[in-house]
Amino acid sequence: MAESSEREGEEGSEWYFSRKELEENTPSRRDGIDAKKENELRRSYCGFMQALGMRLSLPQETIATAIVFCHRFFLRQSHAKNDMLIIAISCIHLAGKVKETRHRIRDVVLVSAEMLPRDKTSLERLRSDKEAFEQLRDTILLAERIVLVTINFDMYVRHPYRIVMKAIRKLQVPKKKGLCQVAW
Amino acid sequence: MQALALSYTDFEAIGTGRYGRVFKCRQISDTDNFYAVKIIPIPKEEQENGVPCKIIREVSVLKELNHINIVRLLEVISTDSNLFLVFECLDNTLQVFLKNPVMFMYHKMMKEFLHQILSAVAYIHSCKILHMNLKPDNILVHFRTRVLKIADFGLARTFEVPLDSYSQDIGSASYRAPELLFGSTNYSTANDVWSVGCIFGEMILHRPLFSGGSDWEQLDEIFSLLGTPTEETWPGVTSLCGGNIDALGPPKQRKVSINCFACVQIIEFQLKKLLSTLISEEYER
């Protein structure tokens, strides 16, 4: 991490890592999680966030931003010490705020509670029991603060989507070829 | 405050902004430099939603900008009930300069100031960000080096983010572009350019170009200077004022020409021309 923060200057450049750094030198690796396992975890939280975001009917750009926040977080923190899913939920909440997608913390808590691996009874309890609800909410908010500090409030993400769309329009690719969908 | 006192000391209040107080302070480990800390309280009712949206937006904008004429955000410290933004500290605002006309004796300086403001605004716009609250209070000046820095991005937004009607309050009325006074929510870079024009006018006149009261008084004042717009001089104006252009009152003649500011002898021809351009009311500025 020390090396990465020294390379500041060019905007966003402290978030560029070489393949070697990604494979051999992440915080999770130091905690004994091997590269294969971390890749698996990465795929798993991406899938979770995509599904959560879609159930909250957030725009794709918001979901993508959230996923980038989550990647950034786990480049500085270890999977061994943080609950991946809680971090993922708080990233979704945070991205919603950055992109001003209006959503309520209540919805985030309830929808994500449904998706968290729990048994049915605890979900029922969450709906009726105010205390259990608040507990989960506070955990998510605490995680949000941890994420903010960890990613050093760097919430600017430049997505390729709009550029790709523009290029496709410029090249006048026929719509039916579905290039847009694939590129997205 | 305790979180802040861990690394900073010698606090001295220097102002109260829209969202919180600002203090001047030094770092404990290095007492040579001054820093400005903006304390943003997180209201109780918003705590349940986590860090408020508008603060997140301000921080993310500040983090992204990196320009000599934009105030640099050095550190963010967050606690349950407050957020502390640590900035580099400058000793004056442009407002102070404007109140002391003596300081503007040399119009070379005025040009330098304007150039710095314009290059900062151009940079902000190139990053797809609108400042939306440009005014002399928000422009900091380093007295000795004459370096200007634009501050307070509390109302700034990116082009891409859809706008909600709740964020209607945009900047101070005196520097607000006419289309916004009409209630348009179609924000664009032109809004900032208008504000720069107003600030420039104020540098020349040593008083606000438009003193502004209510939105309508402000519009009236603008039209007294620029003439009441018509569909010809400003395409789309009819729909802006709700289809009823007569509501603007009896048409006024345009007064702004290069001669309008003839009373101010020290201004060069080109500068006068630039001023007229900046505050011309056509949409496509």
Side-chain angles (χ1 to χ4, degrees), chain A residues 9-11 14 61 93-94 96-100 102-105 137 141 144-145 148-149 152-156 158 162 166, chain B residues 47-53 56-57 59-60 63-64 66 76-80 83 123 127 157 160-164 166-167:
Chain A
E10 187 85 5
E11 54 182 283
E14 62 179 302
E61 203 162 329
H93 182 51
L94 188 61
K97 284 198 259 185
V98 174
K99 294 281 172 198
E100 280 188 57
R102 302 255 117 183
H103 65 270
R104 292 180 311 159
I105 179 87
R137 187 196 66 198
L141 291 184
E144 176 187 78
R145 290 241 315 275
L148 278 173
V149 172
N152 196 16
F153 290 83
D154 274 338
M155 288 168 285
Y156 176 65
R158 192 169 281 175
R162 277 164 207 273
K166 243 189 219 158
Chain B
Q47 273 178 26
E48 75 155 17
N49 215 354
V51 185
C53 207
I56 299 246
R57 204 174 55 209
V59 175
S60 73
K63 272 270 170 181
E64 187 192 331
N66 181 9
V76 185
I77 302 169
S78 105
T79 66
D80 272 333
L83 208 74
Y123 172 77
C127 295
R157 42 186 67 254
E160 289 157 9
V161 170
L163 302 157
D164 288 314
Y166 87 102
S167 37

Side-chain angles (χ1 to χ4, degrees), chain B residues 137-149:
Chain B
D137 277 324
N138 286 341
I139 298 177
L140 308 175
V141 184
H142 192 262
F143 189 82
R144 205 167 41 79
T145 56
R146 304 268 190 264
V147 172
L148 255 64
K149 286 182 196 272

Side-chain angles (χ1 to χ4, degrees), chain B residues 211-222:
Chain B
S211 55
S214 70
D215 289 2
W216 279 107
E217 283 163 26
Q218 174 80 3
L219 278 172
D220 196 57
E221 220 178 312
I222 293 172

Side-chain angles (χ1 to χ4, degrees), chain A residues 28-55:
Chain A
S28 301
R29 203 74 66 256
R30 271 166 252 150
D31 285 332
I33 295 172
D34 62 33
K36 195 169 155 239
K37 176 76 180 159
E38 187 170 9
N39 259 334
E40 232 168 71
L41 291 171
R42 241 180 236 140
R43 254 201 303 281
S44 143
Y45 70 68
C46 285
F48 175 79
M49 290 168 90
Q50 184 66 41
L52 174 60
M54 279 163 76
R55 282 188 62 176

Side-chain angles (χ1 to χ4, degrees), chain B residues 61-72:
Chain B
V61 164
L62 279 165
K63 272 270 170 181
E64 187 192 331
L65 297 173
N66 181 9
H67 189 271
I68 172 89
N69 296 122
I70 292 169
V71 71
R72 207 171 295 278

Side-chain angles (χ1 to χ4, degrees), chain B:
Chain B
M1 283 302 271
Q2 281 151 340
L4 200 60
L6 285 178
S7 40
Y8 295 92
T9 179
D10 288 348
F11 293 94
E12 182 192 331
I14 50 173
T16 308
R18 180 192 295 257
Y19 297 126
R21 290 167 300 163
V22 183
F23 287 87
K24 189 167 146 178
C25 60
R26 291 175 208 258
Q27 211 161 18
I28 289 177
S29 53
D30 154 37
T31 48
D32 289 342
N33 294 316
F34 282 103
Y35 298 89
V37 182
K38 186 171 171 183
I39 299 178
I40 308 176
I42 302 173
K44 264 269 176 304
E45 63 274 14
E46 285 187 46
Q47 273 178 26
E48 75 155 17
N49 215 354
V51 185
C53 207
K54 59 178 186 243
I55 300 179
I56 299 246
R57 204 174 55 209
E58 178 174 1
V59 175
S60 73
V61 164
L62 279 165
K63 272 270 170 181
E64 187 192 331
L65 297 173
N66 181 9
H67 189 271
I68 172 89
N69 296 122
I70 292 169
V71 71
R72 207 171 295 278
L73 175 66
L74 302 169
E75 195 183 355
V76 185
I77 302 169
S78 105
T79 66
D80 272 333
S81 50
N82 286 296
L83 208 74
F84 306 105
L85 306 185
V86 183
F87 294 98
E88 57 183 334
C89 185
L90 282 85
D91 37 20
N92 279 292
T93 66
L94 188 58
Q95 188 68 39
V96 174
F97 272 71
L98 291 171
K99 279 189 192 145
N100 298 294
V102 187
M103 292 185 174
F104 268 118
M105 266 172 32
Y106 310 104
H107 65 275
K108 178 166 169 273
M109 195 167 117
M110 202 187 305
K111 280 202 268 184
E112 277 170 17
F113 277 17
L114 185 66
H115 179 254
Q116 294 184 57
I117 297 174
L118 284 171
S119 57
V121 170
Y123 172 77
I124 294 171
H125 290 170
S126 77
C127 295
K128 293 192 189 296
I129 290 168
L130 304 176
H131 184 283
M132 302 308 287
N133 193 16
L134 289 168
K135 56 180 179 182
D137 277 324
N138 286 341
I139 298 177
L140 308 175
V141 184
H142 192 262
F143 189 82
R144 205 167 41 79
T145 56
R146 304 268 190 264
V147 172
L148 255 64
K149 286 182 196 272
I150 292 184
D152 194 350
F153 285 74
L155 297 175
R157 42 186 67 254
T158 48
F159 294 180
E160 289 157 9
V161 170
L163 302 157
D164 288 314
S165 46
Y166 87 102
S167 37
Q168 274 284 329
D169 77 306
I170 5 127
S172 135
S174 311
Y175 306 94
R176 203 178 299 162
E179 58 272 21
L180 300 181
L181 294 166
F182 274 129
S184 160
T185 48
N186 202 355
Y187 305 128
S188 74
T189 51
N191 308 145
D192 282 344
V193 176
W194 174 276
S195 307
V196 174
C198 292
I199 294 167
F200 180 32
E202 192 167 341
M203 285 199 256
I204 298 168
L205 298 171
H206 299 304
R207 61 168 171 78
L209 190 54
F210 307 112
S211 55
S214 70
D215 289 2
W216 279 107
E217 283 163 26
Q218 174 80 3
L219 278 172
D220 196 57
E221 220 178 312
I222 293 172
F223 297 149
S224 316
L225 189 65
L226 296 161
T228 306
T230 60
E231 207 44 48
E232 255 167 41
T233 57
W234 183 359
V237 67
T238 325
S239 63
L240 266 179
C241 56
N244 183 11
I245 200 146
D246 298 330
L248 302 177
K252 298 186 182 75
Q253 280 299 311
R254 183 183 175 88
K255 277 199 230 149
V256 167
S257 63
I258 289 157
N259 291 327
C260 169
F261 298 98
C263 52
V264 194
Q265 293 296 326
I266 59 163
I267 306 170
E268 288 166 25
F269 178 75
Q270 295 98 318
L271 280 183
K272 282 187 206 160
K273 207 166 148 196
L274 178 58
L275 177 61
S276 320
T277 320
L278 285 177
I279 58 161
S280 77
E281 89 273 36
E282 263 100 320
Y283 231 167
E284 303 302 327
R285 278 188 286 268

